[in-house]
Amino acid sequence: MVEVQRAVTTELDRIAEVIDELGRRFSAAGHEIALVGGPVRDAMLGRAHNDLDLTTSARPEETERLIKGWADATWDMGRAFGTIGCRRGEWQVEITTYRSEVYDPSSRNPEVQYGDSLVGDLGRRDFTVNAMAVRLPGREVEDPFGGVVDLAHRVLRTPGTPEDSFSDDPLRMLRAARFAAQLGFTVDPGVTAAMTAMADRISIISAERVRDELVKLICAPHPRLGLTLLVETGLAEKVLPELPALALERDEHHRHKDVYEHTLTVLEQSIDLEERLGGGPDFVSRFAALMHDVGKPRTRKFLDDGTVTFHHHDVVGAKMTRKRMKALRFSNDQIEAVSRLVELHLRFHGYGSGEWTDSAVRRYVRDAGDQVERLHVLTRADCTTRNRRKAERLRRTYDELEERIAVLAEAEELDALRPDLDGNAIMELLGLPPGREVGEAYRWLLERRMDRGPVEPEVAREELLAWWATR
């Protein structure tokens, strides 16, 4: 407990220039104000925050008046929920009026009702570790639901009954999985039981809110914990059904593990390789790892000799990935990037033990496009064999492929592969207007470029004229 108090004091001193002044302003106006939620929790965990959440007895219009002249900028996009945002130097601050919000059983949106006490406001929050506050300016800790104890035990509980909490806001069930992944905490058995019993209730939550929680979970330090909880409670069946479906399948090597476990291992191994992408959580890379084998259930076939095949599961999986991401309202760029990686994740294995021609290397880079670095990560992460000799051989073979790509890239600018003649040159040489035939000539030249590398423009013109004459 002494360590917790020391951590909180250190963090409050760091953010004193914000919280002390706000505390004085609101107190002088006769209002209560307190630092609340994640910043308090993370202060106790020794984590620094520059995004600060506060709660107050003041209504939004009064909050705006009190921060005028103090804040460098203000915004009120959250006014409907009682929230006024502002910036002061490097600090981002959100100040929300005490509230209690509940869901109509058939509504996607909360009904916001203002509350009249800090304890009442804390009681409507999702978990006890997020239901702690520091009153300002006096810095007294308010912990009516035992959040400090739960933080010490690393467990997630709800302030009231989980059934009431999840009925008020079903998204909290996903938040339980997300916090488990972010904090590495276990979930109280009562919370898990309520999530299982109420999984169907998640259907009233908008796709965008579900998507945002999944992104945070997958980008967390321990995504396996959160994903496992979603599968075990049945929530994954409602929001990402392709994941639990994998638990029914054996992988193509017929090991004593299913494709679901293989997938979680690939996800973890891709995280270990993220430094190749510049470090930090990379959602596209992680989600591609999670979805790379989702086509297996639909492509499984049992052969007469007892083996199992999953032919074309890469192509089928890419289509399934695209459909799921569209349903979750991901951006077109994200959908295209993840789907392409899923479709290409077996390409490396299609070239035997490394007999790659220059033409094959060029096509590999061309098809991967701007996702080539992520494809390197996914392909390496997809090796989960326990056979050390085989794993080493695959690693060495992929090292050689990357070296080949680097050599050709330096010599031929592989990251911008295009024909030796552009569209204007093609039209001038063949006397064509813009149209389909120009596109055909362009693609023919590009295939020639792939097959044998770059040539001088004179050679390309002669070859194009000869090809055109045969048509």
Side-chain angles (χ1 to χ4, degrees), residues 226-297:
L227 293 168
T228 299
L229 182 62
L230 292 183
V231 171
E232 291 177 347
T233 58
L235 276 163
E237 183 63 40
K238 311 300 179 183
V239 300
L240 195 65
E242 295 80 6
L243 183 60
L246 295 176
L248 303 177
E249 306 304 321
R250 294 279 182 182
D251 69 12
E252 66 266 43
H253 304 295
H254 210 60
R255 299 188 189 92
H256 297 292
K257 64 179 180 183
D258 55 35
V259 178
Y260 168 71
E261 285 296 329
H262 163 77
T263 294
L264 294 181
T265 300
V266 173
L267 171 59
E268 290 176 327
Q269 293 186 169
S270 71
I271 293 172
D272 291 340
L273 293 169
E274 277 184 340
E275 61 184 26
R276 295 170 59 100
L277 304 175
D282 185 88
F283 172 75
V284 168
S285 177
R286 294 188 183 197
F287 201 57
L290 191 64
M291 301 295 284
H292 79 284
D293 273 348
V294 296
K296 283 188 171 180

Side-chain angles (χ1 to χ4, degrees), residues 62 84 100 116 181 258 272 320 323 337 352 357 392 407 421-422:
E62 181 71 359
I84 300 298
S100 79
D116 55 9
D258 55 35
D272 291 340
M320 294 171 63
K323 182 177 180 181
T357 63
E392 178 59 25
V407 170
L421 301 177
D422 62 18

Side-chain angles (χ1 to χ4, degrees), residues 26-191:
F26 278 73
S27 179
H31 291 293
E32 297 178 352
I33 189 169
L35 186 69
V36 70
V40 177
R41 178 200 69 222
D42 286 351
M44 293 182 177
L45 293 172
R47 299 176 179 177
H49 254 283
N50 278 10
D51 294 340
L52 306 178
D53 295 325
L54 296 101
T55 187
T56 180
S57 59
R59 295 296 192 260
E61 58 274 12
E62 181 71 359
T63 294
E64 281 185 307
R65 185 184 70 81
L66 289 171
I67 63 176
K68 185 176 181 181
W70 174 82
D72 298 329
T74 63
W75 52 90
D76 66 351
M77 287 88 76
R79 179 183 291 275
F81 300 98
T83 300
I84 300 298
C86 67
R87 177 176 56 81
R88 167 79 175 193
E90 62 182 312
W91 315 100
Q92 300 283 344
V93 181
E94 288 193 347
I95 306 173
T96 302
T97 303
Y98 293 157
R99 66 189 187 187
S100 79
E101 61 186 32
V102 295
Y103 272 78
D104 180 272
S106 60
S107 173
R108 291 174 181 261
N109 300 308
E111 280 179 26
V112 175
Q113 299 175 355
Y114 293 138
D116 55 9
S117 73
L118 175 59
V119 172
D121 181 88
L122 295 177
R124 56 154 288 279
R125 293 179 180 267
D126 50 11
F127 303 104
T128 61
V129 297
N130 295 329
M132 300 179 288
V134 176
R135 291 184 179 271
L136 303 173
R139 297 190 179 183
E140 302 93 353
V141 173
E142 191 79 44
D143 180 23
F145 304 103
V148 172
V149 174
D150 289 341
L151 203 65
H153 291 158
R154 303 178 65 81
V155 64
L156 290 173
R157 289 190 308 110
T158 53
T161 69
E163 290 80 8
D164 286 345
S165 180
F166 298 155
S167 180
D168 285 347
D169 185 353
L171 189 69
R172 291 173 176 170
M173 295 186 287
L174 293 187
R175 286 169 65 86
R178 189 247 289 185
F179 282 122
Q182 284 184 333
L183 303 173
F185 284 14
T186 59
V187 178
D188 180 79
V191 173

